[in-house]
Amino acid sequence: MSYLLVSPCRNESDYMRITLDSVVNQTIKPDLWVVVDDGSTDATPQVLAEYAEKYPFIKVITRENRGHRSVGPGVIEAFYYGYDQVDVSQFDFICKFDLDLDLPSRYFEILIDRMNKNPRIGTCSGKAYFRDKKSGQLISEKCGDEMSVGMTKFYRRTCFEEIGGFVRQVMWDGIDCHKCRQLGWIAVSWDEPDLQFIHLRPMGSSQKGIFTGRMRHGFGQYFMGTGLIYMTASSVFRMLHPPYFLGGAAMWWGYVKSMLTRQPRFADKALVAFIRHYQWQCLVKGKADATQQLNEQQAVVWQQSHS
């Protein structure tokens, strides 16, 4: 089964050798790996050229320097800059893949095997961990089992096409999984030793600091259509994990600030209603039970469109 990696990157030389080595050492290597250099000004181009010369499946595409780094929509614009230059019909799976990860060697082999065994799995991933700077211990980023993580979005190509790909806005990596469930697909991630990877730059961090990143996440939840009660519960949960209290508080304030200033929201009203109903079920039943029940209910939707 063939798979394509597309990696947007900008000034990633501090991490990328580790990531590049972890991919070229996979038991099942990508058939093509498109790396979009989004205007790097550090040693990134030189490192990429070195690996592309050594490994023929790596293709580097250079994008014009936009003068600033843009998370969320900017990352997805860079992803599509590479994606649109490839005949994706020749691949069974595609993956939006960040260049700040250290993967276990069987990572893609296991994902492909599980998707082959369950044709309803549309997107999946392992779990992200980061290393504590003081203790050196690995700490889970606490990503939910009902999502594939944003830094390594592994997709069945047909599912990716059915959901319309990624929206070009913050929270693209949550909206896509909800859209999968709405169409009857399963989105999932597994926390197992062979699927646990190190995120060399912690989730929710930002070029302006981790608290800016958490506030951005709060805006993203507001944009997606998340209700205030669910957002408050989610923020309290995050307060119990590093960075303690302030991380969750920054998420909540990012949401409330967006609400008070009447920022624009996601225009797909049917999907927003679907998301809110699911979130209420998570509050009432617990996320695991609510997700399992929803996936069972949506099986008929998938079967009707794939019979």
Side-chain angles (χ1 to χ4, degrees):
M1 305 292 281
S2 60
Y3 74 98
L4 162 72
L5 299 184
V6 181
S7 296
C9 74
R10 179 179 172 86
N11 294 338
E12 301 283 8
S13 60
D14 290 344
Y15 311 103
M16 63 191 313
R17 283 190 183 275
I18 296 173
T19 307
L20 289 160
D21 288 339
S22 75
V23 172
V24 301
N25 289 322
Q26 288 292 300
T27 52
I28 298 180
K29 296 175 179 56
D31 296 83
L32 177 63
W33 186 3
V34 175
V35 182
V36 180
D37 181 5
D38 196 20
S40 296
T41 56
D42 64 355
T44 292
Q46 290 77 23
V47 176
L48 290 176
E50 173 189 333
Y51 277 79
E53 182 177 359
K54 188 175 181 181
Y55 300 98
F57 61 84
I58 298 177
K59 177 182 180 181
V60 180
I61 298 176
T62 301
R63 192 175 182 220
E64 183 181 355
N65 189 342
R66 292 173 288 111
H68 65 283
R69 184 181 177 196
S70 175
V71 296
V75 169
I76 298 306
E77 291 289 349
F79 166 84
Y80 275 114
Y81 188 83
Y83 180 87
D84 290 341
Q85 297 187 49
V86 177
D87 177 11
V88 297
S89 65
Q90 63 186 302
F91 301 100
D92 301 296
F93 306 99
I94 60 172
C95 182
K96 180 266 180 191
F97 183 76
D98 289 356
L99 280 178
D100 56 0
L101 311 176
D102 188 3
L103 303 178
S105 63
R106 296 183 60 231
Y107 183 81
F108 289 116
E109 174 192 347
I110 294 171
L111 296 186
I112 291 171
D113 179 65
R114 293 189 181 179
M115 295 182 89
N116 285 337
K117 289 178 178 177
N118 186 346
R120 274 190 68 202
I121 297 178
T123 181
C124 61
S125 74
K127 297 289 192 183
Y129 284 72
F130 67 92
R131 194 172 298 281
D132 184 84
K133 293 182 179 180
K134 294 182 179 180
S135 67
Q137 294 182 331
L138 288 178
I139 300 174
S140 171
E141 291 193 352
K142 300 297 181 182
C143 302
D145 295 343
E146 78 290 353
M147 300 289 202
S148 59
V149 297
M151 64 288 291
T152 166
K153 283 276 183 185
F154 197 77
Y155 259 95
R156 194 182 303 273
R157 177 181 55 80
T158 52
C159 173
F160 188 73
E161 292 172 347
E162 282 186 27
I163 69 169
F166 301 129
V167 300
R168 306 188 189 206
Q169 181 54 275
V170 173
M171 215 60 196
W172 59 270
D173 54 343
I175 291 171
D176 69 310
C177 291
H178 290 298
K179 188 66 178 180
C180 283
R181 280 186 287 274
Q182 186 188 35
L183 298 182
W185 293 95
I186 292 173
V188 63
S189 55
W190 298 282
D191 196 359
E192 303 169 9
D194 286 339
L195 290 174
Q196 294 168 350
F197 60 89
I198 299 174
H199 195 189
L200 302 170
R201 181 167 46 206
M203 182 183 72
S205 61
S206 161
Q207 70 271 28
K208 296 181 180 179
I210 195 165
F211 300 113
T212 299
R214 294 297 172 88
M215 283 188 64
R216 185 180 68 238
H217 178 82
F219 161 71
Q221 289 284 353
Y222 173 82
F223 171 81
M224 185 175 71
T226 294
L228 179 59
I229 294 176
Y230 184 86
M231 185 63 203
T232 300
S234 178
S235 298
V236 170
F237 172 79
R238 285 290 176 183
M239 289 178 188
L240 303 177
H241 299 90
Y244 295 106
F245 182 74
L246 291 178
M251 285 170 49
W252 188 84
W253 174 239
Y255 179 98
V256 172
K257 181 180 179 181
S258 300
M259 181 174 64
L260 294 175
T261 55
R262 297 183 180 276
Q263 295 297 310
R265 306 194 83 169
F266 191 38
D268 188 337
K269 294 183 179 180
L271 181 56
V272 169
F274 180 87
I275 292 171
R276 287 199 169 194
H277 177 75
Y278 168 65
Q279 290 175 336
W280 271 111
Q281 294 301 305
C282 289
L283 290 175
V284 173
K285 301 175 181 178
K287 187 176 285 186
D289 288 345
T291 303
Q292 180 179 347
Q293 291 179 24
L294 179 59
N295 284 337
E296 291 172 356
Q297 293 168 7
Q298 293 297 98
V300 64
V301 176
W302 187 88
Q303 290 165 358
Q304 288 174 348
S305 59
H306 295 87
S307 59

